[in-house]
Amino acid sequence: MTARLRARVLALLGALALVLAPLLTAQAARADANSFSYASWTAQYQLSRDDNGRAKLLVTETLVADFPAFDQNHGIIRGLPTWYDGAPLDLRIVSVTDGKGTHLPYDNSTTDNGERQLKIGDADVYQHGLTTYRIQYTMRDVVHRPSDRQIDEWYWNLLPLNSQQPITHFSAVLMFDPAISAAKLGAPSCYVGPAGSTTPCALTPDASSAKILTVAQDDVPAGSGVTVAFPMKLGTFAQAPARVPDAMTDVVPFPLAAAGALLAIGGPILGISLLRRSGRRRGRGIVVAQYDVPAALPPVLAAELEGRKPVANSAEIVHLAVHASIRIEDGESKPVLELQDASVPADPLDAEALHALFPGSPVGTKLYLDIPNDPLVSRLKTLTGSAHAAAFERGLFERRRSPLAIVLSGFGLAAGLGAVALATPGMAVGRPAAIAAFVVAIVLSVVALVALLVSLRRRAVLTAQGAEAREYLLGVREYIRLAEADRIRMLQSYRGAERRKDGSVDIVVLYERLLPYAMLFGMEREWGQVLAVQYLNDDIVPAWYLGYTGASFAGSLSGMGSALTATPTPSSSSSSSGSFGGGFSGGGGGGGSSGGW
């Protein structure tokens, strides 16, 4: 770049700066709508009592704003308090007009700190120079009762202390009803300056009436205010209900609602527990050791009565195996099942279980449990549902409600609703403690309602027949727990000899048929070791378990349940391989997406 060209570029940039500087300055000024002042701020306050003896205040403010000559302001925002000393002020806007009495448009909204903001002006019109706004509004309960004095007091800020606009001239006229003037105690106080200032200001009686006082200040800076305090005789004004504590609405609802919730929650827990116990007590109350199980109690049904339901399907598979319908083989990682006899077993649930494993398959078909098979899992879930239904169809269970649970939950809900009713009057007048009590009572009443709905549900309860069947299964568990000598002694009894006459081989068969039920009781390892000893003593290789070794037998039974859970099957799509070092992070399927905007 030559020197001449450089000089021309610099001259051009300088000219642009001279042109743009005023525009940028004006734009910055326009961006700050608070950059104006008030030529004057005058107000009139009329304090009186309503028919209930509560304080009532009528305020008329006349604000003359001095806006800049350029387009910056559409109007003003006047924030008015809505609460004072814990009570709502019942703020009502009477009118918003200009200096000629013409009504002005304004938005009326409440901020997070409870201040009502009047956004006065037209968004399509800019205001310039001196502009007048007259706002008239009413409030109640502006007189409080300080805790450190036995008086009633009107203690009021006449100017907003967080204002960003200076005021050239401020004046206020304070007027009182005759009865209020007569109740004044001593001289009123006046303070001027920022928050916390104790600088006094003068309150001047009006020449026409002693019931009227005036206060005036010139050149009030931004963030500065004027505050007055008028002490009056105690009881001059009735206080807002929100300031009058009431234990019945502020305190009692808390323990009442809590007690109701505990009663409602405890009702179902206690009632349903007693209901189920009552079903179990329908039996004979005697548990006798039993060494076999009727064919009408296959493992999937026995699991409904007593046992671990998650292993019901595993126990059912072993049940089918020891009854020669299928054969179990040790696979590389999980067992392999082979169909041996496709004839229908004696119990319909056994037949459904066999069909779930081998639906319409010929003899010799193998089922590899280490291969993901979600349809199989679905069929076994259906089998579990059939067993649950069969427990009712065969008269083992019935559905009943717990009257105790319903009554207790009903009382709990009634207590919660009673707490809501007690807190409502205090909440309606705006007392904070009552509002908190109302909210807590509503929440706990909802909890009680949910508990009552839970109590109304019918529960599965053992019938007398079901209770006896459960006691029978407990007898089987007791037999499994016996020492071997006690089991042999029982089988050699008169009753046992009738059932088992063929010696040790029959004992092995018996032990095998109890194995599925040992699995239900979580005793498959112990009973598997008992079987392993019998196989070794009698030199028997179980036909139902191909590849049997005593060392792996019990462990294989314990791990069979894991083979019957759903395994996610990956979706198939055309993609590049990630094996042998050819992949990269994010190159595979799944993962979805995450992000913001």
Side-chain angles (χ1 to χ4, degrees), residues 433-464:
I435 293 173
F438 181 83
V439 173
V440 170
I442 285 289
V443 172
L444 295 183
S445 293
V446 171
V447 172
L449 177 60
V450 172
L452 177 59
L453 295 176
V454 170
S455 300
L456 290 173
R457 289 183 55 194
R458 294 179 180 272
R459 306 286 168 175
V461 180
L462 289 170
T463 62

Short mmCIF file of all heavy atoms in Angstrom, two decimals, residues 433-464:
data_model
loop_
_atom_site.label_atom_id
_atom_site.label_comp_id
_atom_site.label_asym_id
_atom_site.label_seq_id
_atom_site.Cartn_x
_atom_site.Cartn_y
_atom_site.Cartn_z
N ALA A 433 -48.47 -18.72 57.56
CA ALA A 433 -48.47 -20.02 58.22
C ALA A 433 -49.66 -20.86 57.76
O ALA A 433 -49.53 -22.08 57.56
CB ALA A 433 -48.51 -19.84 59.73
N ALA A 434 -50.82 -20.23 57.59
CA ALA A 434 -52.00 -20.97 57.13
C ALA A 434 -51.84 -21.41 55.68
O ALA A 434 -52.31 -22.49 55.31
CB ALA A 434 -53.25 -20.10 57.29
N ILE A 435 -51.19 -20.60 54.87
CA ILE A 435 -50.95 -20.99 53.48
C ILE A 435 -50.07 -22.23 53.43
O ILE A 435 -50.34 -23.17 52.69
CB ILE A 435 -50.30 -19.83 52.70
CG1 ILE A 435 -51.29 -18.66 52.56
CG2 ILE A 435 -49.84 -20.29 51.32
CD1 ILE A 435 -50.69 -17.42 51.95
N ALA A 436 -49.01 -22.23 54.25
CA ALA A 436 -48.13 -23.40 54.31
C ALA A 436 -48.90 -24.62 54.80
O ALA A 436 -48.76 -25.73 54.27
CB ALA A 436 -46.94 -23.12 55.22
N ALA A 437 -49.74 -24.43 55.83
CA ALA A 437 -50.55 -25.55 56.35
C ALA A 437 -51.51 -26.06 55.29
O ALA A 437 -51.71 -27.28 55.17
CB ALA A 437 -51.32 -25.09 57.59
N PHE A 438 -52.10 -25.17 54.52
CA PHE A 438 -53.03 -25.57 53.48
C PHE A 438 -52.33 -26.42 52.42
O PHE A 438 -52.84 -27.47 52.00
CB PHE A 438 -53.64 -24.32 52.83
CG PHE A 438 -54.64 -24.62 51.75
CD1 PHE A 438 -55.96 -24.90 52.05
CD2 PHE A 438 -54.25 -24.61 50.42
CE1 PHE A 438 -56.88 -25.17 51.05
CE2 PHE A 438 -55.16 -24.89 49.41
CZ PHE A 438 -56.47 -25.16 49.73
N VAL A 439 -51.15 -25.97 52.00
CA VAL A 439 -50.40 -26.72 50.98
C VAL A 439 -50.02 -28.11 51.49
O VAL A 439 -50.19 -29.12 50.81
CB VAL A 439 -49.15 -25.93 50.55
CG1 VAL A 439 -48.27 -26.77 49.63
CG2 VAL A 439 -49.55 -24.64 49.86
N VAL A 440 -49.50 -28.15 52.72
CA VAL A 440 -49.12 -29.45 53.30
C VAL A 440 -50.33 -30.36 53.43
O VAL A 440 -50.26 -31.57 53.12
CB VAL A 440 -48.44 -29.23 54.68
CG1 VAL A 440 -48.26 -30.56 55.41
CG2 VAL A 440 -47.11 -28.53 54.50
N ALA A 441 -51.45 -29.81 53.87
CA ALA A 441 -52.66 -30.62 54.03
C ALA A 441 -53.15 -31.15 52.69
O ALA A 441 -53.60 -32.31 52.60
CB ALA A 441 -53.76 -29.79 54.71
N ILE A 442 -53.08 -30.35 51.64
CA ILE A 442 -53.49 -30.81 50.31
C ILE A 442 -52.62 -31.97 49.85
O ILE A 442 -53.10 -33.00 49.37
CB ILE A 442 -53.42 -29.65 49.29
CG1 ILE A 442 -54.59 -28.68 49.50
CG2 ILE A 442 -53.43 -30.17 47.86
CD1 ILE A 442 -55.93 -29.22 49.10
N VAL A 443 -51.28 -31.82 50.01
CA VAL A 443 -50.36 -32.87 49.57
C VAL A 443 -50.61 -34.17 50.34
O VAL A 443 -50.70 -35.26 49.74
CB VAL A 443 -48.90 -32.40 49.76
CG1 VAL A 443 -47.93 -33.55 49.50
CG2 VAL A 443 -48.59 -31.24 48.83
N LEU A 444 -50.74 -34.06 51.65
CA LEU A 444 -50.95 -35.27 52.46
C LEU A 444 -52.34 -35.87 52.23
O LEU A 444 -52.52 -37.09 52.34
CB LEU A 444 -50.74 -34.95 53.94
CG LEU A 444 -49.31 -34.54 54.31
CD1 LEU A 444 -49.18 -34.32 55.82
CD2 LEU A 444 -48.30 -35.60 53.86
N SER A 445 -53.31 -35.04 51.87
CA SER A 445 -54.63 -35.58 51.54
C SER A 445 -54.57 -36.39 50.24
O SER A 445 -55.25 -37.41 50.10
CB SER A 445 -55.65 -34.44 51.40
OG SER A 445 -55.86 -33.81 52.64
N VAL A 446 -53.77 -35.92 49.29
CA VAL A 446 -53.59 -36.69 48.06
C VAL A 446 -52.95 -38.03 48.36
O VAL A 446 -53.33 -39.08 47.81
CB VAL A 446 -52.75 -35.87 47.05
CG1 VAL A 446 -52.38 -36.74 45.85
CG2 VAL A 446 -53.52 -34.64 46.59
N VAL A 447 -51.95 -38.01 49.26
CA VAL A 447 -51.32 -39.28 49.67
C VAL A 447 -52.36 -40.21 50.30
O VAL A 447 -52.40 -41.41 50.01
CB VAL A 447 -50.18 -38.99 50.66
CG1 VAL A 447 -49.63 -40.30 51.25
CG2 VAL A 447 -49.06 -38.21 49.98
N ALA A 448 -53.21 -39.65 51.14
CA ALA A 448 -54.25 -40.47 51.79
C ALA A 448 -55.24 -41.00 50.77
O ALA A 448 -55.71 -42.15 50.87
CB ALA A 448 -54.98 -39.64 52.85
N LEU A 449 -55.57 -40.19 49.76
CA LEU A 449 -56.50 -40.65 48.72
C LEU A 449 -55.90 -41.81 47.95
O LEU A 449 -56.59 -42.80 47.66
CB LEU A 449 -56.82 -39.49 47.78
CG LEU A 449 -57.72 -39.83 46.59
CD1 LEU A 449 -59.07 -40.36 47.06
CD2 LEU A 449 -57.90 -38.62 45.69
N VAL A 450 -54.62 -41.71 47.60
CA VAL A 450 -53.95 -42.81 46.89
C VAL A 450 -53.97 -44.07 47.75
O VAL A 450 -54.23 -45.18 47.26
CB VAL A 450 -52.51 -42.41 46.51
CG1 VAL A 450 -51.75 -43.61 45.96
CG2 VAL A 450 -52.53 -41.27 45.50
N ALA A 451 -53.69 -43.90 49.05
CA ALA A 451 -53.71 -45.06 49.96
C ALA A 451 -55.09 -45.68 50.02
O ALA A 451 -55.24 -46.92 50.06
CB ALA A 451 -53.25 -44.63 51.35
N LEU A 452 -56.14 -44.86 50.01
CA LEU A 452 -57.50 -45.39 50.04
C LEU A 452 -57.81 -46.16 48.76
O LEU A 452 -58.43 -47.24 48.80
CB LEU A 452 -58.50 -44.24 50.20
CG LEU A 452 -59.98 -44.64 50.19
CD1 LEU A 452 -60.29 -45.63 51.30
CD2 LEU A 452 -60.87 -43.41 50.31
N LEU A 453 -57.37 -45.64 47.61
CA LEU A 453 -57.58 -46.35 46.35
C LEU A 453 -56.85 -47.69 46.35
O LEU A 453 -57.37 -48.69 45.84
CB LEU A 453 -57.11 -45.48 45.18
CG LEU A 453 -57.90 -44.18 44.95
CD1 LEU A 453 -57.29 -43.37 43.82
CD2 LEU A 453 -59.37 -44.50 44.65
N VAL A 454 -55.65 -47.70 46.95
CA VAL A 454 -54.92 -48.98 47.06
C VAL A 454 -55.68 -49.94 47.95
O VAL A 454 -55.77 -51.15 47.68
CB VAL A 454 -53.50 -48.71 47.62
CG1 VAL A 454 -52.81 -50.03 47.97
CG2 VAL A 454 -52.67 -47.93 46.61
N SER A 455 -56.27 -49.42 49.02
CA SER A 455 -57.02 -50.28 49.95
C SER A 455 -58.26 -50.88 49.31
O SER A 455 -58.70 -51.97 49.70
CB SER A 455 -57.43 -49.47 51.20
OG SER A 455 -56.31 -48.96 51.86
N LEU A 456 -58.83 -50.18 48.34
CA LEU A 456 -60.06 -50.66 47.71
C LEU A 456 -59.82 -51.82 46.76
O LEU A 456 -60.77 -52.50 46.37
CB LEU A 456 -60.74 -49.51 46.96
CG LEU A 456 -61.36 -48.42 47.85
CD1 LEU A 456 -61.85 -47.26 47.01
CD2 LEU A 456 -62.50 -48.99 48.68
N ARG A 457 -58.59 -52.02 46.37
CA ARG A 457 -58.29 -53.14 45.46
C ARG A 457 -58.50 -54.48 46.17
O ARG A 457 -58.17 -54.63 47.35
CB ARG A 457 -56.86 -53.04 44.95
CG ARG A 457 -56.61 -51.92 43.97
CD ARG A 457 -55.17 -51.97 43.49
NE ARG A 457 -54.84 -53.26 42.93
CZ ARG A 457 -53.59 -53.68 42.67
NH1 ARG A 457 -52.58 -52.90 42.97
NH2 ARG A 457 -53.39 -54.87 42.15
N ARG A 458 -59.01 -55.43 45.43
CA ARG A 458 -59.16 -56.79 45.97
C ARG A 458 -57.80 -57.49 45.93
O ARG A 458 -57.08 -57.40 44.93
CB ARG A 458 -60.19 -57.58 45.17
CG ARG A 458 -61.61 -57.04 45.30
CD ARG A 458 -62.57 -57.87 44.46
NE ARG A 458 -63.93 -57.39 44.56
CZ ARG A 458 -64.80 -57.77 45.49
NH1 ARG A 458 -64.42 -58.67 46.40
NH2 ARG A 458 -66.01 -57.28 45.53
N ARG A 459 -57.48 -58.21 46.98
CA ARG A 459 -56.20 -58.89 47.10
C ARG A 459 -56.39 -60.40 47.01
O ARG A 459 -57.44 -60.93 47.40
CB ARG A 459 -55.52 -58.56 48.43
CG ARG A 459 -55.38 -57.06 48.67
CD ARG A 459 -54.30 -56.46 47.83
NE ARG A 459 -54.35 -55.00 47.86
CZ ARG A 459 -53.45 -54.22 47.28
NH1 ARG A 459 -52.46 -54.77 46.61
NH2 ARG A 459 -53.57 -52.90 47.33
N ALA A 460 -55.36 -61.06 46.51
CA ALA A 460 -55.38 -62.51 46.45
C ALA A 460 -55.17 -63.07 47.85
O ALA A 460 -54.15 -62.80 48.49
CB ALA A 460 -54.30 -63.02 45.50
N VAL A 461 -56.13 -63.85 48.33
CA VAL A 461 -56.08 -64.42 49.68
C VAL A 461 -56.33 -65.92 49.57
O VAL A 461 -57.17 -66.37 48.79
CB VAL A 461 -57.14 -63.77 50.59
CG1 VAL A 461 -57.09 -64.36 51.99
CG2 VAL A 461 -56.94 -62.26 50.65
N LEU A 462 -55.60 -66.68 50.35
CA LEU A 462 -55.77 -68.13 50.34
C LEU A 462 -57.16 -68.53 50.84
O LEU A 462 -57.65 -67.98 51.82
CB LEU A 462 -54.71 -68.79 51.23
CG LEU A 462 -53.27 -68.78 50.72
CD1 LEU A 462 -52.33 -69.25 51.82
CD2 LEU A 462 -53.13 -69.64 49.48
N THR A 463 -57.75 -69.46 50.14
CA THR A 463 -58.97 -70.08 50.65
C THR A 463 -58.58 -71.17 51.64
O THR A 463 -57.39 -71.43 51.86
CB THR A 463 -59.76 -70.70 49.49
OG1 THR A 463 -58.95 -71.72 48.87
CG2 THR A 463 -60.11 -69.65 48.44
N ALA A 464 -59.57 -71.82 52.24
CA ALA A 464 -59.27 -72.92 53.16
C ALA A 464 -58.51 -74.02 52.42
O ALA A 464 -57.55 -74.59 52.94
CB ALA A 464 -60.56 -73.47 53.77
#
